[in-house]
Amino acid sequence: VFTDKLTVRIESGIYDVWFNTPEVSVFENDTPILWPMPKKSSLQDGTVGISGISGEGSDALFAAHFLDELLTERFGNVKTEKGVPVTVVTDESYKDERYTVSVTKDGITLTAGKRISLLYAVYTLVSLENNGEFRLAQIDDYPSLEFRGFHMGLPKVANIPFTKRLFRDLLLPLGYNTLFVQIFGSMEYERHPEITEAWRKQLQIDPNFPHHDLGCEGETISKKDVADLMDYARELGF
C-alpha cells in the first residue's frame, strides 16, 4: 500500500493492549506488488493501455463490468483508443479456483472457471496498473487451501454499506471464498420473536457480555437486510 499517512486502531473488549511504537518501513518500488503472491508470475518490461472490456456468459460479463467500475473508481477513465482490448473468459477446465492473467502488447485476457476466480484475476490485473496502463505479465495462480473462510457477526444496519465494501475491497483481493456468519439473536426472528427479545434483554443486563459486538454491535437487524447482505456476498461468488 502506498500512502503518506498511516493510522492503526486497536480495539480490545476484554484485555488491555500494551505495545511500543511499531516500526513502519517506507520504501519506493517500481515492481508491482502482487498479493496474495501468485504461484507463477512473469513480469516483462513495458506497459499497455486499455481500449475496452468485454466478456461472454453471465460470470464473465459480471467480471468485465466489475473491472470497468473498479478501474473508473480507482484511476478514472483509463480507456484509450491506442490501448488493447481486455477479454474476460470463463473456462470450465480451470479447476480449484485457478485463474490466469495475460497482459501482452496485443491484448489482455483474464481466464477462470467461475465468478469468484474471475474477480481474483480482476484484482491481480488492477495490481499491475501504472499511470493508467498495465505491466506486461503472465500470471497463473490457484489457492493452496480449498476453504479460505472469514468468520463474522452481523453488522448494524448503518454499517451494511461498510460491510459490503469489506467483502468487495478486502476479502476478495485477499482470496477469501467462504463466509461464516454468526447470527445470535440479533436478527429479528418473525416466527419466534422471543429469541430477539431475549437478546435485547441480555444486552440491557450486560451490554458487554461475550461476543456481544458480533451481534449488530448491540442492535438488531431485519431478515430482509440480512438476506440483502448475503445476496450481495453470493453475487460476488462467496
Side-chain angles (χ1 to χ4, degrees):
V1 175
F2 297 92
T3 181
D4 57 2
K5 293 183 180 180
L6 175 67
T7 301
V8 179
R9 184 180 70 180
I10 299 177
E11 294 184 358
S12 175
I14 301 176
Y15 302 105
D16 290 334
V17 178
W18 296 89
F19 58 93
N20 294 322
T21 303
E23 294 184 3
V24 179
S25 299
V26 180
F27 62 95
E28 292 185 4
N29 188 2
D30 292 331
T31 302
I33 298 175
L34 301 176
W35 186 258
M37 293 177 63
K39 296 294 189 296
K40 300 177 182 178
S41 62
S42 173
L43 302 178
Q44 293 88 45
D45 292 334
T47 60
V48 291
I50 287 177
S51 61
I53 305 171
S54 64
E56 292 186 9
S58 60
D59 288 344
L61 282 171
F62 181 92
H65 181 67
F66 186 95
L67 173 60
D68 199 8
E69 285 191 339
L70 191 62
L71 291 175
T72 302
E73 178 184 304
R74 294 197 177 186
F75 312 119
N77 183 18
V78 297
K79 294 178 184 176
T80 171
E81 293 181 359
K82 297 181 180 180
V84 300
V86 178
T87 306
V88 183
V89 179
T90 303
D91 186 339
E92 294 182 357
S93 70
Y94 278 49
K95 305 299 182 182
D96 301 323
E97 296 182 355
R98 175 191 172 207
Y99 70 87
T100 56
V101 175
S102 173
V103 183
T104 73
K105 293 182 178 180
D106 297 319
I108 299 173
T109 306
L110 311 181
T111 309
K114 57 184 180 179
R115 178 172 297 190
I116 198 167
S117 310
L118 289 171
L119 298 185
Y120 297 155
V122 163
Y123 273 104
T124 297
L125 176 63
V126 170
S127 299
L128 298 172
E129 188 273 343
N130 183 10
N131 293 323
E133 295 195 341
F134 298 83
R135 181 78 171 266
L136 299 178
Q138 298 294 320
I139 295 169
D140 189 343
D141 195 19
Y142 53 89
S144 301
L145 299 173
E146 179 181 0
F147 291 104
R148 302 173 307 283
F150 180 78
H151 173 221
M152 58 176 286
L154 290 173
K156 62 183 180 181
V157 174
N159 281 342
I160 288 177
F162 168 83
T163 306
K164 289 182 175 180
R165 292 197 301 272
L166 176 76
F167 294 165
R168 192 194 75 159
D169 297 335
L170 183 64
L171 301 187
L172 262 182
L174 289 179
Y176 285 90
N177 66 355
T178 304
L179 299 176
F180 299 95
V181 185
Q182 200 156 337
I183 302 295
F184 297 104
S186 57
M187 186 176 71
E188 296 169 0
Y189 293 85
E190 295 171 358
R191 286 188 296 172
H192 294 279
E194 66 275 9
I195 296 175
T196 308
E197 185 58 33
W199 172 263
R200 292 193 179 102
K201 288 181 179 178
Q202 180 61 35
L203 285 171
Q204 292 174 356
I205 296 171
D206 182 6
N208 296 312
F209 71 94
H211 304 307
H212 74 283
D213 53 341
L214 284 175
C216 298
E217 302 171 59
E219 299 181 9
T220 60
I221 187 172
S222 71
K223 286 172 61 176
K224 181 179 181 302
D225 284 331
V226 174
D228 173 69
L229 185 61
M230 295 304 102
D231 285 345
Y232 179 78
R234 292 189 183 97
E235 185 180 44
L236 295 176
F238 287 103

